[in-house]
Amino acid sequence: MILPNMKEAKIRTNKKVNISKYDVDSKYKNIGNNKKYFIKTYGCQMNVHDSENIKALLEEMKFQEVYNMEDADLILLNTCAIRENAHNKVFGFLGRVKHLKEIRPDIISGICGCMAQEESVVNEIKDKYKWVDIVFGTHNIHNLPSILNDSLMKRQQEIEVYSIEGEIVENIPVKRDSKYKAWVNIMYGCDKFCTYCIVPYTRGKQRSREPEYILEEVEKLVRDGYKEVTLLGQNVNAYGKDLDINYTMSDLLRDVAETKIERVRFVTSHPWDFNDEMIKVISEYDNIMPYIHLPLQSGSDRILKLMGRRYTKEDYINLFNKLKENIPNVSITTDIIVGFPGETEEDFKDTLDVVNTCKYDSAYTFIFSPRVGTPAEKMKDDVTIEEKNKRLHILNESVNKYANEANQRYLNKVVPVLIEGKSEKDNMLMGYTDTMKLVNVSGSDNYIGKIVNVKITDVKTWSLDGKIVK
Ligand code: SF4
């Protein structure tokens, strides 16, 4: 049993990152024969992509995916630790898994992802959820075959969570959810240590993948007919800073664009590392999409300092304006936290002021959620929950207004849309514009996987409706 340790997880050294290549041991290859798995994924794109790796590892062991948990022999929850409600959802879902296990005790259940990296969570699972069979973390996804094997052999709870800076394992197989757009990790971990954030503890130190591996992966995706890649990292603008070679995010963006993949996206950006060279490259290449997610978090300099964000309101607005001036038709979205410990009415007004200045295309807004072990957890928080809710409500009204205004500008315009599949709306297709607007379109299934021109015929706050035009 290897348990996580938050103190060890925050240690950063100058040790060189170890790069290894995954290779499945043949003795694990038939573990999943005639067995089915179900995986539920919470949280960010990084987790979604981790689940794509987990699915491929399981299928190498001959497990088959099912989409109904009741049909599964193996149930995995790939969890998120970013906010309290993500925690609650997982523990709520565990109740359903337990119920199933009471009926079929042979079901194997497991927890992985960021919550599995949290000391308090794993201690709770060890003490109160003894029926959960396996727990593994973000650093050892590639060990899943051996962890599963040990669990089946010993029939005891297997917990294997490393609190380390982390390594890079290339060659982990992947079962992509889409045939048209793909996530590509360009880096792992984060060294920013924003005071509210658990990621540097759950995902380890910043480790950039070497460009050759990334480009090889993108080139293969192009050959396989993929239309879009999203370069993934917690803080992509800092890509390359930890490499021995002089190669940065702007170099990578240029090289990925040169592969001629039709659409390149990247998430998530930290305003601090967004430099002029990157803006230049984005504006030079038509296949780098004019969409940027630029987390603000707060508009108050005082709160930004407490958050450890390393930019001011003025820096942020200057960067925002530069992006708007240099990248034609760019759409910018953001993340905002309200009710950070000690946030005054004045601080909140500063946030609203930035929202009113930037008029974002969309924003993810949250009430501050203290994460165990982070510096912000220990900060004095005298803002009442009623006040926080009130501020969130006011903020959301502004955000929604600007989102609607941004969408209104699309009415009657013809925009390129990558059709991804069936819409939840009756008998329609769905896809995204270059600027990341969700569009529902009527048309035949033949359009799925193609980038088509769509005339926008109706506008909602969070989506657009349109029809395909020649
Ligand atoms: S840059 Fe992002 S991932 Fe890193 S600590 Fe800050 S909020 Fe967390």
Side-chain angles (χ1 to χ4, degrees):
M1 187 174 291
I2 303 166
L3 297 170
N5 178 310
M6 292 288 277
K7 274 204 189 103
E8 283 169 22
K10 77 173 179 204
I11 295 172
R12 296 292 186 267
T13 66
N14 291 329
K15 250 193 294 170
K16 205 170 157 35
V17 174
N18 182 41
I19 303 175
S20 60
K21 287 208 171 185
Y22 170 82
D23 193 13
V24 68
D25 191 323
S26 56
K27 70 179 182 223
Y28 303 134
K29 279 204 161 159
N30 292 311
I31 291 180
N33 240 343
N34 300 320
K35 291 197 177 78
K36 301 184 181 75
Y37 74 92
F38 170 86
I39 182 161
K40 181 151 179 75
T41 308
Y42 298 85
C44 67
Q45 294 96 333
M46 193 71 74
N47 248 21
V48 172
H49 187 44
D50 283 350
S51 284
E52 291 184 331
N53 288 131
I54 291 169
K55 289 176 188 184
L57 289 171
L58 291 171
E59 295 191 12
E60 269 198 351
M61 290 182 272
K62 308 252 180 2
F63 281 95
Q64 279 179 352
E65 184 169 14
V66 287
Y67 304 96
N68 184 356
M69 184 170 73
E70 283 69 24
D71 298 333
D73 305 288
L74 166 65
I75 299 170
L76 276 181
L77 308 189
N78 188 8
T79 61
C80 168
I82 213 89
R83 265 171 282 282
E84 186 64 34
N85 69 342
H87 267 221
N88 297 343
K89 277 187 198 160
V90 168
F91 281 110
F93 200 86
L94 272 179
R96 287 179 55 196
V97 180
K98 185 176 185 217
H99 178 68
L100 268 183
K101 262 193 89 117
E102 280 162 0
I103 304 165
R104 285 178 46 210
D106 58 317
I107 288 177
I108 310 163
S109 59
I111 292 182
C112 56
C114 285
M115 267 173 75
Q117 291 290 147
E118 289 185 279
E119 213 173 312
S120 53
V121 170
V122 176
N123 284 334
E124 191 171 347
I125 291 169
K126 181 166 71 72
D127 297 336
K128 298 193 197 142
Y129 295 78
K130 293 186 195 301
W131 54 268
V132 171
D133 300 288
I134 57 173
V135 181
F136 59 100
T138 57
H139 293 295
N140 60 340
I141 287 173
H142 56 285
N143 285 350
L144 175 58
S146 74
I147 298 168
L148 257 178
N149 186 60
D150 288 354
S151 163
L152 288 166
M153 291 298 169
K154 299 182 201 157
R155 278 287 165 195
Q156 65 181 29
Q157 192 174 53
E158 284 296 320
I159 301 180
E160 191 181 301
V161 182
Y162 297 101
S163 300
I164 50 173
E165 292 180 301
E167 54 177 340
I168 294 181
V169 184
E170 294 292 348
N171 256 15
I172 302 183
V174 56
K175 181 192 178 193
R176 299 193 188 272
D177 291 340
S178 164
K179 283 195 276 193
Y180 318 109
K181 59 177 208 176
W183 310 109
V184 174
N185 275 122
I186 61 167
M187 63 204 294
Y188 304 94
C190 181
D191 290 341
K192 287 283 188 279
F193 285 99
C194 301
T195 58
Y196 53 85
C197 183
I198 193 86
V199 167
Y201 307 81
T202 59
R203 296 255 168 196
K205 120 170 161 182
Q206 172 171 323
R207 288 108 63 207
S208 300
R209 282 178 79 196
E210 294 192 346
E212 298 77 57
Y213 289 113
I214 300 170
L215 294 171
E216 216 173 89
E217 187 172 342
V218 176
E219 278 155 8
K220 180 168 186 314
L221 289 164
V222 176
R223 287 197 299 278
D224 291 346
Y226 277 79
K227 297 280 192 289
E228 179 176 309
V229 289
T230 301
L231 308 178
L232 275 186
Q234 304 296 347
N235 174 19
V236 289
N237 309 59
Y239 171 80
K241 287 189 168 182
D242 54 309
L243 291 173
D244 289 342
I245 50 173
N246 186 11
Y247 189 88
T248 63
M249 184 60 181
S250 41
D251 297 311
L252 180 68
L253 268 180
R254 187 178 285 116
D255 285 345
V256 171
E258 287 289 343
T259 66
K260 305 288 182 244
I261 184 115
E262 290 187 55
R263 289 182 159 196
V264 182
R265 300 188 189 277
F266 54 91
V267 277
T268 286
S269 294
H270 189 301
W272 187 37
D273 292 309
F274 217 126
N275 59 28
D276 289 354
E277 187 57 23
M278 260 192 78
I279 300 175
K280 185 164 167 274
V281 175
I282 299 167
S283 61
E284 274 170 8
Y285 283 90
D286 287 347
N287 59 343
I288 303 180
M289 295 297 99
Y291 165 70
I292 291 163
H293 186 66
L294 192 68
L296 167 69
Q297 308 303 10
S298 170
S300 151
D301 288 348
R302 198 179 70 81
I303 295 295
L304 284 170
K305 202 160 184 206
L306 285 173
M307 288 175 163
R309 292 291 287 175
R310 307 182 212 199
Y311 54 83
T312 61
K313 173 184 176 186
E314 191 186 348
D315 296 335
Y316 183 95
I317 293 178
N318 285 343
L319 172 62
F320 183 94
N321 289 338
K322 222 189 271 181
L323 291 167
K324 283 277 178 185
E325 280 157 23
N326 288 284
I327 306 171
N329 190 34
V330 70
S331 125
I332 302 180
T333 58
T334 198
D335 293 333
I336 299 170
I337 298 171
V338 294
F340 190 79
E343 184 192 69
T344 62
E345 193 59 38
E346 237 8 74
D347 294 319
F348 177 62
K349 280 194 185 135
D350 279 334
T351 299
L352 276 185
D353 188 38
V354 180
V355 170
N356 290 328
T357 304
C358 296
K359 303 181 172 55
Y360 294 103
D361 280 67
S362 170
Y364 299 94
T365 57
F366 311 96
I367 288 179
F368 168 73
S369 171
R371 304 290 69 222
V372 178
T374 59
E377 183 212 359
K378 295 175 194 77
M379 290 181 190
K380 188 162 174 278
D381 189 0
D382 47 13
V383 191
T384 63
I385 188 65
E386 291 75 23
E387 181 58 31
K388 291 183 189 204
N389 276 318
K390 191 180 108 200
R391 289 180 193 170
L392 183 69
H393 180 74
I394 295 169
L395 177 65
N396 283 344
E397 281 193 338
S398 284
V399 163
N400 295 355
K401 180 177 97 176
Y402 294 122
N404 193 283
E405 281 178 17
N407 276 1
Q408 290 296 340
R409 288 194 284 274
Y410 284 73
L411 191 61
N412 294 324
K413 286 219 170 104
V414 175
V415 286
V417 175
L418 169 57
I419 304 291
E420 293 182 15
K422 294 277 197 194
S423 163
E424 282 169 11
K425 265 181 101 175
D426 25 40
N427 248 340
M428 290 181 94
L429 304 172
M430 57 73 65
Y432 286 89
T433 63
D434 51 350
T435 52
M436 207 63 179
K437 303 280 177 198
L438 171 64
V439 188
N440 293 304
V441 192
S442 45
S444 91
D445 289 6
N446 293 337
Y447 289 112
I448 295 176
K450 299 201 169 89
I451 296 173
V452 293
N453 285 327
V454 172
K455 182 167 184 184
I456 302 304
T457 52
D458 197 8
V459 172
K460 320 266 165 54
T461 301
W462 305 117
S463 67
L464 307 168
D465 286 348
K467 63 174 187 211
I468 294 170
V469 290
K470 291 280 181 258

PDB file of all heavy atoms in Angstrom, residues 375-386:
ATOM      1  N   PRO A 375      -2.408  26.754   0.578  1.00  0.00           N
ATOM      2  CA  PRO A 375      -2.290  27.928   1.452  1.00  0.00           C
ATOM      3  C   PRO A 375      -3.621  28.650   1.668  1.00  0.00           C
ATOM      4  O   PRO A 375      -3.908  29.124   2.767  1.00  0.00           O
ATOM      5  CB  PRO A 375      -1.300  28.826   0.701  1.00  0.00           C
ATOM      6  CG  PRO A 375      -0.508  27.899  -0.160  1.00  0.00           C
ATOM      7  CD  PRO A 375      -1.441  26.784  -0.540  1.00  0.00           C
ATOM      8  N   ALA A 376      -4.458  28.723   0.633  1.00  0.00           N
ATOM      9  CA  ALA A 376      -5.716  29.473   0.774  1.00  0.00           C
ATOM     10  C   ALA A 376      -6.663  28.828   1.774  1.00  0.00           C
ATOM     11  O   ALA A 376      -7.522  29.503   2.360  1.00  0.00           O
ATOM     12  CB  ALA A 376      -6.398  29.597  -0.586  1.00  0.00           C
ATOM     13  N   GLU A 377      -6.509  27.542   2.006  1.00  0.00           N
ATOM     14  CA  GLU A 377      -7.373  26.852   2.969  1.00  0.00           C
ATOM     15  C   GLU A 377      -7.210  27.469   4.366  1.00  0.00           C
ATOM     16  O   GLU A 377      -8.147  27.521   5.151  1.00  0.00           O
ATOM     17  CB  GLU A 377      -7.002  25.365   3.017  1.00  0.00           C
ATOM     18  CG  GLU A 377      -7.891  24.555   3.932  1.00  0.00           C
ATOM     19  CD  GLU A 377      -7.168  23.376   4.591  1.00  0.00           C
ATOM     20  OE1 GLU A 377      -5.972  23.172   4.317  1.00  0.00           O
ATOM     21  OE2 GLU A 377      -7.822  22.693   5.390  1.00  0.00           O
ATOM     22  N   LYS A 378      -5.990  27.952   4.624  1.00  0.00           N
ATOM     23  CA  LYS A 378      -5.714  28.487   5.968  1.00  0.00           C
ATOM     24  C   LYS A 378      -5.945  29.985   6.061  1.00  0.00           C
ATOM     25  O   LYS A 378      -5.776  30.585   7.110  1.00  0.00           O
ATOM     26  CB  LYS A 378      -4.265  28.160   6.359  1.00  0.00           C
ATOM     27  CG  LYS A 378      -4.065  26.653   6.499  1.00  0.00           C
ATOM     28  CD  LYS A 378      -2.626  26.276   6.755  1.00  0.00           C
ATOM     29  CE  LYS A 378      -2.447  24.792   6.536  1.00  0.00           C
ATOM     30  NZ  LYS A 378      -2.387  24.436   5.099  1.00  0.00           N
ATOM     31  N   MET A 379      -6.330  30.631   4.977  1.00  0.00           N
ATOM     32  CA  MET A 379      -6.555  32.081   5.019  1.00  0.00           C
ATOM     33  C   MET A 379      -7.874  32.388   5.715  1.00  0.00           C
ATOM     34  O   MET A 379      -8.845  31.647   5.555  1.00  0.00           O
ATOM     35  CB  MET A 379      -6.577  32.653   3.596  1.00  0.00           C
ATOM     36  CG  MET A 379      -5.219  32.627   2.932  1.00  0.00           C
ATOM     37  SD  MET A 379      -5.314  33.354   1.273  1.00  0.00           S
ATOM     38  CE  MET A 379      -3.701  32.917   0.639  1.00  0.00           C
ATOM     39  N   LYS A 380      -7.887  33.486   6.447  1.00  0.00           N
ATOM     40  CA  LYS A 380      -9.094  33.871   7.176  1.00  0.00           C
ATOM     41  C   LYS A 380     -10.178  34.258   6.158  1.00  0.00           C
ATOM     42  O   LYS A 380      -9.940  35.082   5.277  1.00  0.00           O
ATOM     43  CB  LYS A 380      -8.776  35.049   8.090  1.00  0.00           C
ATOM     44  CG  LYS A 380      -9.872  35.410   9.034  1.00  0.00           C
ATOM     45  CD  LYS A 380      -9.333  36.261  10.176  1.00  0.00           C
ATOM     46  CE  LYS A 380     -10.469  36.732  11.041  1.00  0.00           C
ATOM     47  NZ  LYS A 380     -11.165  37.900  10.521  1.00  0.00           N
ATOM     48  N   ASP A 381     -11.316  33.616   6.282  1.00  0.00           N
ATOM     49  CA  ASP A 381     -12.385  33.842   5.312  1.00  0.00           C
ATOM     50  C   ASP A 381     -13.610  34.398   6.032  1.00  0.00           C
ATOM     51  O   ASP A 381     -14.377  33.671   6.651  1.00  0.00           O
ATOM     52  CB  ASP A 381     -12.734  32.511   4.618  1.00  0.00           C
ATOM     53  CG  ASP A 381     -13.687  32.713   3.456  1.00  0.00           C
ATOM     54  OD1 ASP A 381     -14.072  33.869   3.202  1.00  0.00           O
ATOM     55  OD2 ASP A 381     -14.045  31.717   2.802  1.00  0.00           O
ATOM     56  N   ASP A 382     -13.778  35.738   5.973  1.00  0.00           N
ATOM     57  CA  ASP A 382     -14.910  36.315   6.707  1.00  0.00           C
ATOM     58  C   ASP A 382     -16.050  36.723   5.775  1.00  0.00           C
ATOM     59  O   ASP A 382     -16.940  37.463   6.158  1.00  0.00           O
ATOM     60  CB  ASP A 382     -14.441  37.500   7.568  1.00  0.00           C
ATOM     61  CG  ASP A 382     -13.557  38.447   6.778  1.00  0.00           C
ATOM     62  OD1 ASP A 382     -13.523  38.317   5.540  1.00  0.00           O
ATOM     63  OD2 ASP A 382     -12.901  39.307   7.391  1.00  0.00           O
ATOM     64  N   VAL A 383     -16.024  36.215   4.540  1.00  0.00           N
ATOM     65  CA  VAL A 383     -17.133  36.531   3.630  1.00  0.00           C
ATOM     66  C   VAL A 383     -18.200  35.444   3.818  1.00  0.00           C
ATOM     67  O   VAL A 383     -17.904  34.252   3.704  1.00  0.00           O
ATOM     68  CB  VAL A 383     -16.648  36.511   2.152  1.00  0.00           C
ATOM     69  CG1 VAL A 383     -17.721  37.088   1.235  1.00  0.00           C
ATOM     70  CG2 VAL A 383     -15.336  37.262   1.991  1.00  0.00           C
ATOM     71  N   THR A 384     -19.404  35.864   4.130  1.00  0.00           N
ATOM     72  CA  THR A 384     -20.447  34.862   4.390  1.00  0.00           C
ATOM     73  C   THR A 384     -20.856  34.167   3.093  1.00  0.00           C
ATOM     74  O   THR A 384     -20.703  34.727   1.994  1.00  0.00           O
ATOM     75  CB  THR A 384     -21.722  35.508   4.985  1.00  0.00           C
ATOM     76  OG1 THR A 384     -22.246  36.411   4.007  1.00  0.00           O
ATOM     77  CG2 THR A 384     -21.428  36.255   6.283  1.00  0.00           C
ATOM     78  N   ILE A 385     -21.411  32.979   3.217  1.00  0.00           N
ATOM     79  CA  ILE A 385     -21.827  32.231   2.024  1.00  0.00           C
ATOM     80  C   ILE A 385     -22.971  32.959   1.312  1.00  0.00           C
ATOM     81  O   ILE A 385     -23.063  32.947   0.085  1.00  0.00           O
ATOM     82  CB  ILE A 385     -22.178  30.752   2.359  1.00  0.00           C
ATOM     83  CG1 ILE A 385     -22.403  29.945   1.077  1.00  0.00           C
ATOM     84  CG2 ILE A 385     -23.329  30.602   3.322  1.00  0.00           C
ATOM     85  CD1 ILE A 385     -21.204  29.780   0.203  1.00  0.00           C
ATOM     86  N   GLU A 386     -23.797  33.658   2.104  1.00  0.00           N
ATOM     87  CA  GLU A 386     -24.896  34.423   1.475  1.00  0.00           C
ATOM     88  C   GLU A 386     -24.304  35.512   0.571  1.00  0.00           C
ATOM     89  O   GLU A 386     -24.754  35.740  -0.545  1.00  0.00           O
ATOM     90  CB  GLU A 386     -25.796  35.085   2.541  1.00  0.00           C
ATOM     91  CG  GLU A 386     -26.641  34.133   3.363  1.00  0.00           C
ATOM     92  CD  GLU A 386     -25.832  33.370   4.407  1.00  0.00           C
ATOM     93  OE1 GLU A 386     -24.761  33.845   4.807  1.00  0.00           O
ATOM     94  OE2 GLU A 386     -26.291  32.269   4.795  1.00  0.00           O
TER      95      GLU A 386
END
